Amino acid sequence: MNSGENDMRGSSAPRYLVIQLARFGDLIQTKRLVRSLQVEGEVHLLLDASLKTLAELVYPGVHVHGMAAHGASAGDVLARVHEDLGEVAGLDFHRVYNLNFSGPSFALAGMFPWPRVRGYRARQGQRLIDSWPEQVMRWTRTRSVTGLNLVDVWGLYSRQPLPPELVNPDAVPRGGGIGVVMAGQNARRSLPAHVLAPLVQAAFARVGHGPILLLGSAGERRAAKELAALLPATLRGQVRDLVGRTGWRELHDAVGGLDLVVSPDTGTMHLAAHLGVPVLAFFLSSAWCHETGPYGRGHVVIQAATECAPCLETVPCPHETACRHVFGDPSVLRHVSGHAARALAPGCLVMESGFDELGLTFSAIAGTDPASARRRAFRAMAAAYAGVSMPDASAMSPDENWMRERDWMLPQTLRGRIHD
Amino acid sequence: MTEMLRILLVLPMYGGSLPVGRYCGNALRELGHVVEYFEAPDFFGAFSALKTLRVGTDRLDYLENSFLQVVSQAILAKVETFAPDLVLAMAQAPLSRQALKRLRRDKVPTAMWFVEDREVFPYWKAFAPLYDLFAVIQKGDFPRQLADLGQTNSLYLPLAADPGVHRPLELSAVERRKYGSELSFVGAGYPNRRLAFRRLAGHDLRIWGNDWDGETALAPYLQREGARIETEEVVRIFNATTINVNLHSSVRPGTLVGDGDFVNPRTFELAACGAFQLVDRRALLPELFDEGELALFSDVDGLLDSVEFYRAHPEKRAEVAARGRARVLAEHTYAHRMRTLLRHASELMPGREIPVDDWRSRIAPHLRDEVEVLLLNLQLAPTVSFEDLVWTLRSREGSLTRLETAILFLDEWKKLYTGHRPGK
């Protein structure tokens, strides 16, 4: 994608390494990058060992290398990491995509010649950030009017990004009922059982049949029991509680057969999108569908859109997470049950996924999104920055806050994503 | 002193104290300390570009001062990150007074080694009181002058040689032809040298170095049209020359020889190379070298007489050179100087509170040998703290090995999962 790169060495297929040390959801959201690179050459993926099985399921044909990134004990880390890195240390990579802004990721970058590393790299102890991720971080300071899906943020690192509509299959019901994901990684982004139960009931009405699979990790068993207890007796018999009982393969198989996945912003939600299973997600607090919404055509997100949304999850909420109350509103439940009407409670939007040239978009099908025009203009500008052709690119001049003098003054390659 | 220290060595942007700074760094590492350089020479190109603007002098003055403030800020940022036990600045280091005051406020000990002639570079008066320790290469009333300005912690610290750089070399015949001559001088064309060396005309003489412009009488002897000679070649010239002339510089009109107290670095460097030199008498030479360790002259006639004598007595040359080298290796290396400086600076450095952490004992047995080799290659003591090892690895050039990467990963992992944040 970046025509300024001309250092492809030799005639053999290039070898790429993607370092993704984050969690479940991030691994799935790396798909556009991984698939794009697979078109060009041999792809290796370095990730936390706990995700290795999942990665092998999700990314056939990719060489997956697990390492003790998380969860090991301090005494073991040195020896384990030393051993784990043995698999990639001897390989000559044309390019290394280091995707996470974290100390361990910077440490790993040091193992490779720094000009070959994209994203986050280290040169003689100095941490360096490529202009593309740096620019994306600047955009996220005005999240309400910007929005670039993480799948696209990472996908656009590649020289020839896969067209967005080819990343995941269109969402189609598979006949296996409803999956309900109990909680996201951040409790504030999840719904308590008494709010979730009516939503599940509405979703059941939308699909028309069960079973209802409860999905989640072992820590959510109690919440699952609470939810089941709150469901009407007619539905309770449809519940199959798989919380804490699925390995990666079982989860993959279970989700792949569903008609609908009801979920907050979770890894399982991204897995459903990867498999082309329709998602009905509820995004609140810091979750923002324009950034981490389910990737692909045919997904719906109920997005809390209070004035303070999206917030920062690291900052305590001064409103006692009031944005979650809207999910109990009858108008929201009507939408979830499939009885679409334009009327919707304030502070809420029903968003439907789609694509533009840059990647995934979400547009309001109920409620009014006051930032939609501004966001479209932003995306046109971001597309120009990323080197993607898009109409109306001149509709918005770059906000001064998004630019730094050095962007203009210092040598960068054509699209400003790499400054070797 | 056995404690391993973190030392930030602030080099000047250019000039004679720049190589001395690097020799100090070599020595400090040899002594087992963790050294981080502030590479001011990297900033010199941009600084020089300001002088090509063709703008008003007031604007140029403003721009240069502003630029130097940025450089000072860069040093402060490095101090913040590296958390040194001592900031050691070489003469002309680009540390502004404001930055020095900030370091003092933050209780970061600072030392300056002023390896210049106090009469030629009088700016020391404005900066000396702002350093916690001020080391100088001159004696006399210098300590009193410093004390009058408020700098009571001064230290006489003569120059020295770096045996890793200044050493005897086996030269090929080609190299001897390229660099050798019966007489040679390497250095800048100060007025006293220009006048004195005219008396050597007619000898097999080679003059190397810069600032000889307009010197027509010596032009036939000037090598490479007065280009600057890099250290590596200087050492070859020293080794290839039969008689190295070492005449200290003087800017005082009418005085050709015997005008000062301090001893120049060339004296120690030539001796460390095992090269024979004729050096002019200096007030501070007798306490550094004994009779027979150097061949001395007091005036230009004496220089000519000595040249004639030593041309004819190669065994005498060899004897003096060998004794001079032995004395330098025994007492006058930069390692000796840095040890002295750190001893004096020790009261400024309260000592880091490093929690006892026997990290090496927790390394998996199959990696221990590899870690030992790594420490050896990095010139780190077996007792090095994990934090200092990490810092040393971070500053390495090029791609890291698997073990090095794993060590840096462990450091980051600890910050994430144990809340342990070494240094700052």
Side-chain angles (χ1 to χ4, degrees):
Chain A
M1 170 151 180
N2 195 313
S3 60
E5 298 176 30
N6 55 5
D7 54 345
M8 301 282 279
R9 288 154 298 119
S11 55
S12 59
R15 183 185 282 142
Y16 299 106
L17 175 65
V18 176
I19 303 175
Q20 175 55 278
L21 294 191
R23 310 284 178 160
F24 176 15
D26 302 273
L27 172 63
I28 310 290
Q29 291 176 96
T30 313
K31 188 175 178 183
R32 190 176 181 194
L33 174 61
V34 170
R35 285 278 181 264
S36 302
L37 297 177
Q38 273 188 296
V39 173
E40 294 185 34
E42 179 181 309
V43 180
H44 293 247
L45 187 55
L46 181 63
L47 39 57
D48 185 60
S50 67
L51 295 171
K52 190 165 188 276
T53 303
L54 175 67
E56 285 164 347
L57 286 168
V58 172
Y59 297 123
V62 169
H63 302 262
V64 178
H65 308 277
M67 67 173 293
H70 310 289
S73 67
D76 297 337
V77 174
L78 184 67
R80 281 196 56 189
V81 170
H82 180 263
E83 187 180 338
D84 295 340
L85 292 179
E87 289 181 20
V88 293
L91 298 173
D92 184 30
F93 293 104
H94 167 67
R95 205 166 292 315
V96 177
Y97 295 91
N98 194 26
L99 301 184
N100 312 115
F101 180 75
S102 73
S105 289
F106 277 113
L108 290 179
M111 199 167 68
F112 308 96
W114 72 270
R116 291 192 202 171
V117 181
R118 294 289 175 270
Y120 301 95
R121 45 185 164 174
R123 182 189 187 191
Q124 272 188 273
Q126 178 61 56
R127 293 177 174 190
L128 300 169
I129 304 175
D130 274 348
S131 62
W132 174 243
E134 190 186 27
Q135 186 65 61
V136 170
M137 277 200 276
R138 276 184 229 158
W139 288 333
T140 60
R141 286 178 203 147
T142 47
R143 296 174 68 199
S144 62
V145 294
T146 61
L148 203 53
N149 193 281
L150 191 54
V151 175
D152 296 320
V153 169
W154 285 331
L156 288 165
Y157 273 108
S158 69
R159 294 177 348 119
Q160 297 288 342
L162 201 66
E165 57 272 20
L166 297 185
V167 175
N168 284 338
D170 289 352
V172 176
R174 306 300 165 110
I178 304 169
V180 177
V181 183
M182 295 309 303
Q185 197 182 355
N186 185 317
R188 208 164 89 187
R189 293 211 252 173
S190 306
L191 294 177
H194 72 275
V195 180
L196 187 54
L199 285 167
V200 172
Q201 198 176 342
F204 188 85
R206 181 191 190 103
V207 173
H209 61 86
I212 300 170
L213 308 188
L214 303 187
L215 305 167
S217 61
E220 292 143 13
R221 279 189 175 141
R222 188 173 160 189
K225 291 197 186 320
E226 280 176 25
L227 174 68
L230 288 167
L231 290 175
T234 50
L235 295 193
R236 228 175 287 152
Q238 300 283 342
V239 170
R240 284 170 53 196
D241 185 357
L242 300 183
V243 171
R245 297 188 177 91
T246 50
W248 290 124
R249 187 172 295 280
E250 293 79 17
L251 181 68
H252 183 269
D253 292 347
V255 170
L258 295 170
D259 292 297
L260 184 69
V261 169
V262 177
S263 176
D265 185 359
T266 63
T268 305
M269 177 198 80
H270 293 297
L271 179 63
H274 157 75
L275 293 167
V277 171
V279 169
L280 195 155
F282 38 89
F283 275 43
L284 64 155
S285 179
S286 59
W288 195 232
C289 66
H290 304 290
E291 294 174 351
T292 54
Y295 203 93
R297 192 179 278 115
H299 304 294
V300 173
V301 173
I302 316 287
Q303 174 71 59
T306 45
E307 274 187 22
C308 50
C311 60
L312 281 175
E313 62 190 38
T314 48
V315 177
C317 176
H319 310 298
E320 297 178 349
T321 325
C323 57
R324 71 161 61 119
H325 299 317
V326 76
F327 293 94
D329 190 276
S331 66
V332 172
L333 295 174
R334 267 201 302 279
H335 271 281
V336 171
S337 64
H339 297 96
R342 192 73 198 166
L344 195 65
C348 177
L349 296 167
V350 179
M351 308 293 279
E352 187 178 61
S353 61
F355 294 111
D356 63 11
E357 291 83 348
L358 194 58
L360 189 74
T361 60
F362 275 90
S363 310
I365 54 172
T368 306
D369 178 7
S372 60
R374 181 110 199 260
R375 191 173 298 110
R376 267 197 303 279
F378 158 77
R379 290 182 66 82
M381 185 211 67
Y385 192 89
V388 174
S389 167
M390 189 186 260
D392 304 325
S394 60
M396 185 180 202
S397 49
D399 188 308
E400 278 189 10
N401 292 328
W402 296 341
M403 301 300 289
R404 291 286 182 277
E405 277 79 2
R406 67 171 184 265
D407 298 339
W408 173 246
M409 297 172 186
L410 295 179
Q412 298 186 22
T413 52
L414 192 58
R415 295 175 184 94
R417 277 197 272 125
I418 299 152
H419 38 80
D420 282 350
Chain B
M1 178 175 298
T2 53
E3 188 192 353
M4 177 179 292
L5 299 169
R6 282 187 176 206
I7 295 166
L8 177 63
L9 191 46
V10 184
L11 299 173
M13 288 203 279
Y14 69 99
S17 56
L18 177 56
V20 176
R22 298 208 185 279
Y23 304 146
C24 291
N26 294 343
L28 288 164
R29 283 186 177 154
E30 183 190 320
L31 294 174
H33 302 296
V34 177
V35 178
E36 179 76 9
Y37 288 104
F38 180 80
E39 289 285 353
D42 292 348
F43 294 84
F44 188 52
F47 183 71
S48 305
L50 295 175
K51 294 184 190 300
T52 67
L53 292 175
R54 290 189 291 279
V55 296
T57 51
D58 54 339
R59 299 308 293 166
L60 181 59
D61 183 57
Y62 171 78
L63 291 168
E64 288 187 345
N65 277 326
S66 303
F67 183 88
L68 291 176
Q69 288 303 329
V70 170
V71 176
S72 275
Q73 289 293 321
I75 298 171
L76 292 179
K78 216 151 168 58
V79 168
E80 190 180 307
T81 311
F82 181 52
D85 297 296
L86 178 70
V87 175
L88 174 58
M90 303 308 295
Q92 294 176 287
L95 258 171
S96 67
R97 280 172 284 186
Q98 194 183 346
L100 286 166
K101 286 174 186 166
R102 168 77 182 274
L103 291 175
R104 181 161 284 175
R105 194 196 73 192
D106 292 347
K107 298 185 169 42
V108 178
T110 57
M112 154 66 68
W113 192 8
F114 184 62
V115 292
E116 300 287 359
D117 185 340
R118 61 172 158 153
E119 289 180 26
V120 177
F121 294 90
Y123 63 81
W124 55 268
K125 291 176 182 169
F127 286 80
L130 298 172
Y131 282 95
D132 298 322
L133 172 62
F134 203 76
V136 297
I137 59 171
Q138 289 162 298
K139 283 188 167 178
D141 64 350
F142 203 178
R144 187 188 54 75
Q145 282 193 34
L146 285 165
D148 288 348
L149 290 166
Q151 176 50 274
T152 53
N153 194 16
S154 65
L155 165 70
Y156 168 64
L157 196 66
L159 284 155
D162 181 341
V165 176
H166 310 110
R167 62 194 197 283
L169 296 177
E170 288 292 331
L171 298 179
S172 67
V174 173
E175 285 176 316
R176 289 205 168 275
R177 272 198 301 279
K178 187 175 175 185
Y179 298 112
S181 61
E182 190 166 68
L183 289 180
S184 87
F185 174 80
V186 186
Y190 280 85
N192 66 317
R193 290 171 178 161
R194 292 175 179 232
L195 292 173
F197 293 166
R198 285 177 192 170
R199 301 276 303 275
L200 296 174
H203 283 82
D204 174 20
L205 169 68
R206 282 182 167 187
I207 295 173
W208 309 78
N210 47 2
D211 290 338
W212 293 92
D213 317 18
E215 178 52 54
T216 50
L218 294 172
Y221 306 101
L222 185 62
Q223 306 299 303
R224 297 186 189 173
E225 300 177 332
R228 193 184 130 72
I229 311 293
E230 294 299 325
T231 301
E232 196 179 313
E233 284 198 302
V234 170
V235 172
R236 286 182 151 62
I237 294 164
F238 288 170
N239 273 274
T241 298
T242 308
I243 298 174
N244 289 278
V245 179
N246 180 8
L247 174 60
H248 284 73
S249 62
S250 172
V251 289
R252 208 168 282 180
T255 308
L256 303 192
V257 179
D259 179 38
D261 54 355
F262 71 89
V263 176
N264 66 16
R266 195 182 297 103
T267 307
F268 302 98
E269 293 165 3
L270 278 162
C273 287
F276 177 75
Q277 64 178 309
L278 284 173
V279 56
D280 55 327
R281 293 185 187 278
R282 307 285 290 176
L284 293 170
L285 253 185
E287 60 187 74
L288 295 166
F289 291 93
D290 287 334
E291 193 79 20
E293 290 173 344
L294 293 173
L296 306 174
F297 62 91
S298 305
D299 51 31
V300 179
D301 288 336
L303 168 64
L304 294 172
D305 291 346
S306 295
V307 166
E308 290 311 313
F309 175 79
Y310 283 107
R311 279 173 67 184
H313 295 89
E315 75 291 347
K316 294 281 185 196
R317 292 199 308 265
E319 185 186 329
V320 171
R323 292 183 63 188
R325 175 170 156 76
R327 181 68 185 265
V328 167
L329 294 182
E331 293 182 29
H332 302 317
T333 67
Y334 283 101
H336 291 106
R337 300 298 183 254
M338 290 300 99
R339 205 176 276 134
T340 304
L341 184 135
L342 292 180
R343 196 165 53 238
H344 279 261
S346 61
E347 61 191 38
L348 305 171
M349 299 180 281
R352 261 184 298 159
E353 284 182 24
I354 303 172
V356 178
D357 176 16
D358 187 12
W359 61 275
R360 290 167 73 228
S361 68
R362 291 197 297 277
I363 292 174
H366 69 282
L367 287 178
R368 281 183 189 157
D369 287 349
E370 210 178 323
V371 170
E372 300 302 319
V373 171
L374 177 65
L375 295 182
L376 209 61
N377 289 340
L378 295 172
Q379 287 184 289
L380 292 174
T383 52
V384 67
S385 70
F386 185 72
E387 289 73 20
D388 287 342
L389 169 62
V390 165
W391 187 272
T392 307
L393 283 178
R394 278 212 193 103
S395 58
R396 294 201 83 180
E397 281 188 57
S399 307
L400 300 179
T401 66
R402 187 154 57 117
L403 177 64
E404 291 164 345
T405 306
I407 290 169
L408 294 189
F409 189 94
L410 171 60
D411 177 58
E412 297 294 346
W413 189 95
K414 283 162 86 175
K415 289 179 203 167
L416 267 184
Y417 291 108
T418 68
H420 177 54
R421 291 178 178 274
K424 289 182 184 173

